[in-house]
Amino acid sequence: MTLTDLPSETRPRPAAPAVRPAAALALLVAAHFLLNLDSAIVEVALPSVKRELGTTLAELSWIANAYILAFGGFLLLGGRLGDMLGRRSVFTAALVVFAAASLAGGLATSAPVLVAARAAQGLAAAVISPTALALLMVVFPDRTTEERARRNKALAVLGAVAATGGSAGYFAGGLLTDVFGWQSTFLVNVPLAGLAALAAPRLLPAGARPGRRGRFDVVSGVLVSGGMTLMVYVLVGAQGAGWLSARTLGLGAAAGLLLVLFVLRQRTSADPLLPLRIFRHRALRGANVVAALINMAIGPVIFFLSLYTQQVLGYSALAAGLAIVPVILTVTISSTMAGWLLRRMSQRAVMTTGLLLFAAGLLWMYGISGGAYWTELLGPECLVGLGGGLVFVTFTVSGTSDLDERDAGSASGVLTTAQKIGAAFGLAILTTLAGSATGTAGDALLEGYRTAILAAVVPVLLALVATAVWLPGAASRPAGPRFDGAGPKRRGAARPGRRR
């Protein structure tokens, strides 16, 4: 008998090169940074796009929203694809698609082509983001106390660096547009994503083989992607159409129906796109609720701070971007502290501390009156950033710990989806509240921003409740039973008769 006569699963395989955790982390962090950068960098270039291509306001809004819709709508599917087909190969392919879509956007000569390019970027991002987080979980396992500490440090680095992507996008977008034209905000992604795709096979683990591959459930894919995309579309347009309009209520009901049908199908599917067993994990449920709620506050607050500094304080776009830097810096500082704290305190304690700091910063920020930045905004921004860094790292740890490796992509996709939906919902709600309380200038404009900032405290308080209910109140313990959705399982222990 020769080697070729052996079943494929028993043939000896060439030894894979050892994975260097630091290099792998650098690549995964760079991918997250690129996605966050791209979510902001093009927005700065939109006025130039309008001038050069002669686009209408409606077309301009679609250039911005196409990325959001595709990104938010396909996250659950993107996360599961890595679990089913192999995370490294899916991650690499998505980077290639992202680079190609960026090239198409940079060469576009009409609004429809630009919209299509942005949508393709969003689709690729919906695969890259959860798959990168799942790969990080493989590179940094949590089987022992030491491994768990290393994973927490890695997540802290990921959170700190990725948080700077959005802020950097505003600066880079303005600089590139002024010097090279709006096309450069797309073309800059091509070499970055291309280099990342070339490095991925060398730096990332191949991971466990997907095993027995069931058929891809096309119906489930259509239901979840259609439902999520429609939900994001409703949230993006709710402020303009009205929350009680036929468009909002009708499309919202349709989105809800698609998602309910998706969940029902997962309950009976032999190869579900989203294994519902992961939701039996209490900490995962709590992490996703907190992730959605905190993103209802942080994204809209940054948005309103940008408007406030320009429209009330009279800052330039560059100065307004610089005014938000303290938030980013303090998020970076507290993110690096979070891993150290999680080794000494429970997830519940660290999360509660972060949420209280965040809420205190918002309440302090509510006192803005058009006065000096140094006395009215700098302190509140630092509190918000310090609290936000602790919260971001902790909900990521809570939402990805003690899960079976085969479900890492699904868990990552759910967590990222919670963040995107929370941010879209929060911006829609707070924009509506601000609009109802604001005028066009002066005190009326200021009052609208104050109303939005105060309203942002509500989801933070709700996150405190979710933390108390779901997050573990004891400090992390050494490796013990592994949660796999069906009950505790010792690592390496077989479960005879278990269906995949």
Side-chain angles (χ1 to χ4, degrees), residues 108-205:
T109 56
S110 66
V113 174
L114 206 51
V115 170
R118 277 300 266 173
Q121 283 183 319
L123 287 172
V127 176
I128 294 170
S129 181
T131 308
L133 184 54
L135 283 164
L136 185 146
M137 294 163 62
V138 175
V139 175
F140 296 92
D142 65 344
R143 293 165 297 196
T144 66
T145 302
E146 292 75 17
E147 286 182 341
R148 182 165 296 178
R150 284 194 290 270
R151 175 185 283 190
N152 290 350
K153 287 181 181 179
L155 290 172
V157 172
L158 181 72
V161 175
T164 65
S167 179
Y170 288 106
F171 296 118
L175 180 63
L176 289 172
T177 301
D178 288 344
V179 177
F180 301 107
W182 65 265
Q183 293 89 345
S184 61
T185 61
F186 284 89
L187 296 176
V188 70
N189 295 323
V190 178
L192 297 177
L195 288 173
L198 290 174
R202 296 170 173 80
L203 300 182
L204 298 178

Side-chain angles (χ1 to χ4, degrees), residues 33 35 57 67 82 91 95-96 105 118 134 151 174 212 227 245 257 268 310 314 410 432 474 497:
F33 179 85
L35 299 186
L57 288 177
Y67 183 84
F91 177 77
L95 284 168
V96 172
R118 277 300 266 173
R151 175 185 283 190
R212 183 183 65 82
S245 67
L257 177 61
T268 58
Q310 292 181 72
S410 295
T432 301

Side-chain angles (χ1 to χ4, degrees), residues 308 312-313 365-372 375-377 443 446 450:
Y308 169 75
V312 176
L313 299 185
M365 193 180 294
Y366 173 66
I368 56 176
S369 61
T375 59
E376 291 195 349
L377 276 183
D443 293 340
L446 173 63
R450 282 166 46 89

Side-chain angles (χ1 to χ4, degrees), residues 186-332:
F186 284 89
L187 296 176
V188 70
N189 295 323
V190 178
L192 297 177
L195 288 173
L198 290 174
R202 296 170 173 80
L203 300 182
L204 298 178
R209 287 177 174 260
R212 183 183 65 82
R213 295 187 185 182
R215 64 182 182 84
F216 182 80
D217 191 345
V218 176
V219 175
S220 291
V222 170
L223 288 173
V224 68
S225 300
M228 293 300 302
T229 303
L230 198 54
M231 181 65 72
V232 176
Y233 177 72
V234 169
L235 294 175
V236 167
Q239 196 269 336
W243 286 94
L244 298 179
S245 67
R247 172 193 178 279
T248 300
L249 295 177
L251 293 180
L257 177 61
L258 289 175
L259 294 176
V260 168
L261 292 174
F262 169 73
V263 171
L264 292 176
R265 187 171 180 86
Q266 302 318 289
R267 292 172 64 89
T268 58
S269 175
D271 294 285
L273 287 181
L274 178 61
L276 299 182
R277 59 179 174 267
I278 65 175
F279 293 105
R280 298 173 189 166
H281 195 318
R282 285 174 58 85
L284 182 143
R285 295 199 302 269
N288 280 278
V289 172
V290 172
L293 289 169
I294 199 66
N295 276 276
M296 288 179 64
I298 184 64
V301 165
I302 297 297
F303 173 76
F304 286 114
L305 279 178
S306 178
L307 293 178
Y308 169 75
T309 52
Q310 292 181 72
Q311 296 181 347
V312 176
L313 299 185
Y315 286 11
S316 66
L318 178 60
L322 289 172
I324 299 172
V325 166
V327 179
I328 306 302
L329 291 178
T330 48
V331 164
T332 303

